[in-house]
Each structure stands twice: as C-alpha cells, then as structure tokens.
Amino acid sequence: MAMDLLGRQKMPLDASSSKQPSVATSTVSGGGAATGVGVTGGSGAVGGVGAGGAGGGAVGVGANPTGVGVTGASAIGGVGGASSVMSKQLTAKRSLKLGSLAEDIMPTTLGVGEEPFRVRLHHLFSQIEKEFEILHAENMNLREKLEAVAGTPRDSTVGERLPLQDAFEVDGSVNKSFKSKLGSAGSKVKAGHKLRAQTSRIVSSFKAQSVVSSLVREFCGHKDGVWQVSTKAGQPIIGTASADHSACIWGIDTGRCLLQYQGHSGSVNSIKFHPTRDIVLTGSGDATAQIWQAAVNWEVPARKGHSSEEELDEEEEGPYEEKERIDVLRTPLCEFSGPGGHTSVVVAADWLPGGDQVITASWDRTAILWDVETREPLHPLCGHDHELTHASAHPSQRLVVTASRDSTFRLWDFRDPIPAVSVFQGHTENVTSTVFTRDDKVVSGSDDRSVKVWELRNMRSALTTIRTDSAVNRLAVSASGVIAIPHDNRHIRLFDLNGQRIARLPRTSRQGHRRMVSAVAWTEDISSNCNLFSSGFDRRVLGWGVTLPPKDN
C-alpha cells in the first residue's frame, strides 16, 4: 500500500472502489494543454493541484498548507468531477479532524484573529503567573509571622548602623516547599502540610535560642583580599593579613588603622600576636616568616601640611577620616628564612606556649619548628603528601596540628625530646584549618563542607560531625566552646561543640561580606561591643556583637 504524507494508507484507484476520486482532463486556453486533478474523496494527498493556464500551476480551493484536509473538488485551471454523497460526508468528517490537528501544530492562514496555539499558551502562562502570585503572597505572610515570633526590631540601631537581629534564617526550607507546590496541582494540599510543619520547627527553634547578633563596625583600608584576622589578649586591637603585601593593626573601638607593616614582598597570609609581648608574627608568600614590633600610637595623629590645591583634591576624594596619617613600619625584628627554611609560600605561622618558639607551614609540604632567639630551624616536620594549608599550636601545651591538601591533618607532640606524630584521615577533601579548644579538643574544617570535633585522648573517630552547605575556611573556637565557621558562600555560622546550630550571622545587601569569608577570630578579654571578627576577600574586616545563650552544662 502507498502511504500519504501523514502516514495513512492510500486507497487504490481502481474501478471497483466506491471511493475512487473523480478524474477529468481539460484543455485550458492561453497556457497550452494541461491536466487538472480534483480530489474529492481522497485520503489526504497534497491535493487540488492543477497545472497550466495563464497563471501556471495553482493550489485547489480546498487545499490546506499542511497537505491535509482537502475539501475542494477542483483546482484553479483544473476540472474536478462530481462525487457521491457518501464520499462528501466522509471528506467533511476527515477534514474536520485533520483541520483541528493542523491548527494545533501550525498557525492557520485562513482564520481571522489570533492563532489557537498562541491563545492556549497565553492561557497557560496566565495560570502559572497566578500560581506565582499566590506563592509570593504566602511567602510574605510567612515572613511577617516569623518576624513577629522572633521579635526582630526593625528600627534598632547600634551607633549609626542598623544591625539586623539574628534569627535562624530559614535556609531555603520554605523555598523547597514552594518547589514541591509547583510540581503538580494535585499536590498543593500535601505541600501545605509540609510548609506548616517546617514553620512550626522554625518557630520552635526561635523559642529555644536567645542569640542576638549585629554588625557593629567595619575596618576598611586594605587594597586586596584579607586572608586572616587575629585578636590580642588584653588589648582592644586586632591584626589583619592581606594579599596587598601588608599587615595592619586596628583599634577596635575607633575602627582606625593604628599601624601598617610593609616588610613583606609577597602576600601576607597569616598574623598572630605574641601571648604577652607587643610583637607580631606573620607568614608570607615570599617564603618567609617575620616578627615585628607592634607598639601602636593611640593618639589620633595630626594631618600633614598641604597646599590648598592638595586639600581641595582630598576633599573631593573622600572624607577626613580616610586621609588621616597612618604609621608605617618596614623593618622586622627577625626573619625566619635561609638554609633549612621554606622554599615556597608560608601559609600559616603560630607561637608555641611561652613564645620562645614558632611553627610555620608552607606549600613546600613541610612545617618547621623555629627557635626565636637563634632564628634557626629546630625540627622540620615532613610527611604530608601535598601543600600545607594551616598550622596552629595548643594554648598551654607543646602540641601542634598541621592541615594539608592531602585531606589529612597531623598532631605533633613536642613534649618529649623526640617528637611524636599522629595522622588523622577524617575528611575527604582539603583540610583548610585545625585549631585547639581549651578543653583539649581539636576542631577541623575542610573543603568537603564539614567540620569535625575530635578528642585528643581518643582521635580514632570524630566526636561530632557538622555538615554545612559550603566549603569551610579558617574557623575559630571561643572560650565558651562556640565554633564560628566562615564559608566560601559569604556566610558565617555558629555551632557548639556538640554539633548543635546556634545561629547564622546576618548577611544582607547592607550587612555581611560580599565575597568569601576567609577567617574569623573571637575576643573575650575586653569590654567592647565587638566580640567576633571576620575577614573576607571583599577587602573588609567586620566586627560583630554576638550575645550567646547561657551554657546548660
């Protein structure tokens, strides 16, 4: 059987068929003899085509651009024969069905007004738009209820800033319920139950916690990303290490840069204050670690004399505070380099208890224990398979932990003449930081989006594992056991050592970091509005006021 363009069988054109189409020939003047075929009962061939005549070949009156639904019996320039009443009825039915199919597939050229397929699309899009409007209204209503339950004041101020009182942000749980509602119309009731259940859990978490956090102060002045921020015990100052080859000391209460150190020739990757003296240890991309004097001038320095034209230029460039003179230091007290030293970037450095020795970690896959007085290396610490990312010392014991991109961290014990080492493989990607707590625990963070808490006496397996939604950078643990976790996704989260989430610091268009948060640091020895500091690659350091809940145990 022959097939037509729509895949249907053609009827044979024999004399016995009752559905044989009428075929007639005619001679048309002006164009020579031509033959015209008029299909009246055919099964959908590209019909009604007649050749000849003054106008050339033409399509029959009943022809359709899709080649279906031919209802006309003749073509312009052709002659169609008469057919039976039964064939006309069958043709009319087929034309109705095939014509509706063609209208759904392609816009018709014979109809007047808007095409059916566009009308249908407009109708569907209007329904989707109405659904989104309903969801938006529900979302706004839910936010108002959450703010009412949390008791978040919108008009409270700290100094001249507008802090956003922290409340456990929803973390996308409401959005997930909205996505489930968009799945199908029949699942709206089920999604509504999920939304109410999630809302109740959020409300209960508000009632269980009493954490209040707000942005208090910004420290701006670096010209590139800030790798680390550090605090000084007993003094209202902080130190920052930046990729702009400088390290700065800032006054917490004033937000003013008190001293800038420019002794390194590479990115300054770490900074640590001496436990008791006014000196600072920094590690740099120039493969050295340096100690420099951190004596600061608390008095506001007077401005240098300028001509009237220079003063006019300064007024146009910025406010008075940004043009204050900054003390600059370029000469270190001592430098750790040379034979036996590092051959690549120094990513971290820290003081051992007592301050007579320091530990440095490098991209050359080694850490080195140095003597401060002689500036000589005492012990090279080898064993990591890839570059080191961090190193820190225990606050009271001669213990050091080093982290590496080989997904492990190592515990080095210098309490005996021969150092002992233990290797821990709890993470699946780069270990970015490891720090000690005051109750002899180790907290490690990794690019695998997890933070683990380990017990020093039994470090075979982690006591607690905290799962997050972004890579973890250089974290910090407060004296009360609160872990501040900086993330690549610009957020800062607070957890306790048991893995319970305490809060997430607010991050809006006016508050929080605009790029990844590289490090955090706690301070608790001074009476200040700020007790947590964060540094990021938006070139800023932020001071936060965090009111923690009382400890239950």
Side-chain angles (χ1 to χ4, degrees), residues 51-127:
V59 180
V61 175
N64 190 293
T66 60
V68 295
V70 180
T71 60
S74 64
I76 298 175
V79 180
S83 62
S84 63
V85 175
M86 183 181 295
S87 64
K88 288 182 179 180
Q89 293 175 351
L90 292 174
T91 302
K93 290 181 180 180
R94 281 201 185 101
S95 300
L96 180 60
K97 293 180 180 179
L98 296 176
S100 63
L101 176 62
E103 288 175 356
D104 287 345
I105 297 175
M106 295 180 62
T108 179
T109 59
L110 301 178
V112 179
E114 197 171 13
E115 296 86 344
F117 81 102
R118 289 188 177 179
V119 175
R120 183 171 298 179
L121 286 177
H122 281 300
H123 178 66
L124 293 176
F125 278 119
S126 63
Q127 288 182 342

Side-chain angles (χ1 to χ4, degrees), residues 453 464-467 483 494-502:
V453 181
T464 304
T465 298
I466 301 171
R467 303 290 180 184
I483 309 171
L494 305 181
F495 286 81
D496 63 18
L497 292 174
N498 296 321
Q500 296 296 320
R501 175 173 164 170
I502 298 176

Side-chain angles (χ1 to χ4, degrees), residues 182-415:
L182 289 174
S184 63
S187 62
K188 289 183 179 180
V189 177
K190 184 177 180 181
H193 289 302
K194 289 183 179 179
L195 185 60
R196 285 193 291 271
Q198 291 167 349
T199 304
S200 63
R201 287 197 296 268
I202 295 169
V203 171
S204 63
S205 67
F206 274 123
K207 295 178 180 179
Q209 303 293 342
S210 58
V211 175
V212 176
S213 61
S214 59
L215 177 61
V216 179
R217 189 162 288 108
E218 293 185 15
F219 304 86
C220 300
H222 282 293
K223 298 178 181 179
D224 207 337
V226 183
W227 280 115
Q228 190 171 20
V229 58
S230 181
T231 59
K232 170 70 172 175
Q235 293 188 29
I237 57 175
I238 60 171
T240 56
S242 173
D244 64 5
H245 298 191
S246 72
C248 292
I249 297 179
W250 309 78
I252 293 178
D253 297 328
T254 62
R256 186 171 61 88
C257 181
L258 305 176
L259 178 64
Q260 185 181 59
Y261 180 69
Q262 299 179 356
H264 286 288
S265 60
S267 169
V268 184
N269 303 319
S270 71
I271 182 169
K272 285 287 184 177
F273 287 96
H274 190 276
T276 57
R277 299 172 57 189
D278 292 333
I279 54 177
V280 176
L281 172 67
T282 52
S284 171
D286 59 12
T288 69
Q290 297 178 357
I291 296 177
W292 42 278
Q293 188 69 41
V296 296
N297 181 16
W298 291 98
E299 298 180 359
V300 178
R303 303 182 73 191
K304 294 181 180 180
H306 296 291
S307 65
S308 58
E309 293 181 357
E310 290 176 340
E311 291 177 356
L312 181 59
D313 293 339
E314 290 177 358
E315 290 177 359
E316 293 177 354
E317 291 176 0
Y320 172 82
E321 289 78 3
E322 295 183 358
K323 294 300 178 180
E324 290 179 348
R325 182 175 58 85
I326 299 174
D327 292 334
V328 177
L329 180 66
R330 294 183 176 87
T331 305
L333 296 176
C334 66
E335 179 178 284
F336 302 99
S337 61
H342 291 294
T343 59
S344 186
V345 173
V346 177
V347 294
D350 199 4
W351 302 90
L352 266 68
D356 57 343
Q357 294 176 348
V358 297
I359 186 74
T360 57
S362 171
W363 281 4
D364 61 10
R365 305 183 183 183
T366 67
I368 299 178
L369 183 68
W370 301 82
D371 183 86
V372 174
E373 184 177 356
T374 62
R375 309 177 192 179
E376 296 293 329
L378 299 177
H379 294 287
L381 310 180
C382 305
H384 283 290
D385 295 331
H386 294 286
E387 297 90 340
L388 272 65
T389 57
H390 194 241
S392 62
H394 193 280
S396 59
Q397 302 183 51
R398 293 178 57 80
L399 299 173
V400 170
V401 284
T402 56
S404 171
R405 292 181 180 175
D406 60 10
S407 75
T408 70
F409 69 94
R410 298 182 176 226
L411 174 66
W412 307 83
D413 189 349
F414 295 104
R415 291 175 293 187

